[in-house]
Amino acid sequence: DAGITQSPRYKITETGRQVTLMCHQTWSHSYMFWYRQDLGHGLRLIYYSAAADITDKGEVPDGYVVSRSKTENFPLTLESATRSQTSVYFCATGAQETQYFGPGTRLLVL
Amino acid sequence: DAKTTQPNSMESNEEEPVHLPCNHSTISGTDYIHWYRQLPSQGPEYVIHGLTSNVNNRMASLAIAEDRKSSTLILHRATLRDAAVYYCILDTGTASKLTFGTGTRLQVTL
């Protein structure tokens, strides 16, 4: 019973490459979210999804693409990675009044 | 989104109570007050939330001012494991978008 998992946990890539971060939940929660956290800052919302096939932009969506063909998966793609996208990425699910966060993916773009 | 104001950092001795304040003078009548915390190198985790009345759970207590313009998260007996960044967040209570500020970094010492 993993709850919410993210993969990979660590990723190093180069500028211009496409990178996909995976998020999987076993609870069937309707809402899913992607946040990024930069050193010394709080979390900022990138994209979120209220249900399968429904996604919407958050605070910092530029340079990212999401999809949600199945309730349990919410992949985040960096179409052409830039150094400014070096960050820790957290996926979360939402149920009623609470969000549950994954362990995060540390991404380094060289 | 309504904003919250928290001290950047606080210190506490182990086994003593900790009171973490949050000001939210522009809170609306439908905003819930949520608290999350983020342990080092982990994703945020839910602590507690409330609307008008004080709330208690196994982790903490939430004291909400009568005018709802401020609230206090109370850890009854701080332990070293409670050292984390604590975030006070306002939300409509639907587990939809949460806006994280920079939070309060709590240090717990022996």
Side-chain angles (χ1 to χ4, degrees), chain A residues 1-105:
Chain A
D1 182 9
I4 179 168
T5 56
Q6 294 184 234
S7 62
R9 294 293 313 279
Y10 303 90
K11 177 73 176 179
I12 300 174
T13 190
E14 295 177 339
T15 302
R17 291 190 180 266
Q18 183 180 77
V19 177
T20 296
L21 309 183
M22 303 300 295
C23 180
H24 175 77
Q25 59 146 330
T26 59
W27 294 308
S28 299
H29 291 164
S30 296
Y31 277 91
M32 295 189 76
F33 308 85
W34 274 107
Y35 295 86
R36 62 176 288 174
Q37 185 172 36
D38 302 307
L39 195 64
H41 292 82
L43 282 77
R44 291 184 292 172
L45 182 65
I46 304 171
Y47 269 96
Y48 67 103
S49 168
D53 296 321
I54 301 175
T55 61
D56 208 345
K57 296 178 180 179
E59 181 186 354
V60 289
D62 293 344
Y64 303 95
V65 174
V66 294
S67 62
R68 193 159 176 216
S69 58
K70 294 183 178 181
T71 300
E72 60 267 30
N73 296 322
F74 191 38
L76 176 73
T77 298
L78 289 67
E79 293 188 301
S80 178
T82 65
R83 288 179 182 161
S84 65
Q85 293 177 310
T86 291
S87 189
V88 181
Y89 291 85
F90 290 101
C91 178
T93 70
Q96 297 182 331
E97 300 90 6
T98 305
Q99 288 192 18
Y100 302 89
F101 286 79
T105 294

Side-chain angles (χ1 to χ4, degrees), chain B residues 19-89:
Chain B
H19 291 232
L20 298 166
C22 182
N23 288 320
H24 29 78
S25 58
T26 60
I27 190 170
S28 72
T30 57
D31 282 334
Y32 282 76
I33 301 158
H34 296 255
W35 283 83
Y36 283 74
R37 73 179 185 179
Q38 187 173 19
L39 302 171
S41 300
Q42 295 188 25
E45 65 174 343
Y46 168 81
V47 177
I48 200 167
H49 78 284
L51 184 61
T52 55
S53 303
N54 294 345
V55 184
N56 299 297
N57 66 20
R58 64 174 180 81
M59 289 181 71
S61 295
L62 176 60
I64 301 172
E66 200 168 330
D67 63 5
R68 298 205 334 121
K69 293 185 176 182
S70 65
S71 61
T72 302
L73 179 71
I74 302 166
L75 306 179
H76 296 286
R77 289 179 64 198
T79 70
L80 295 177
R81 290 189 297 259
D82 291 320
V85 178
Y86 287 78
Y87 298 98
C88 170
I89 303 165

Side-chain angles (χ1 to χ4, degrees), chain B residues 1-19:
Chain B
D1 291 336
K3 288 189 174 180
T4 62
T5 304
Q6 299 177 251
N8 289 332
S9 62
M10 292 184 65
E11 288 187 19
S12 173
N13 294 322
E14 197 177 24
E15 302 295 319
E16 291 188 356
V18 182
H19 291 232

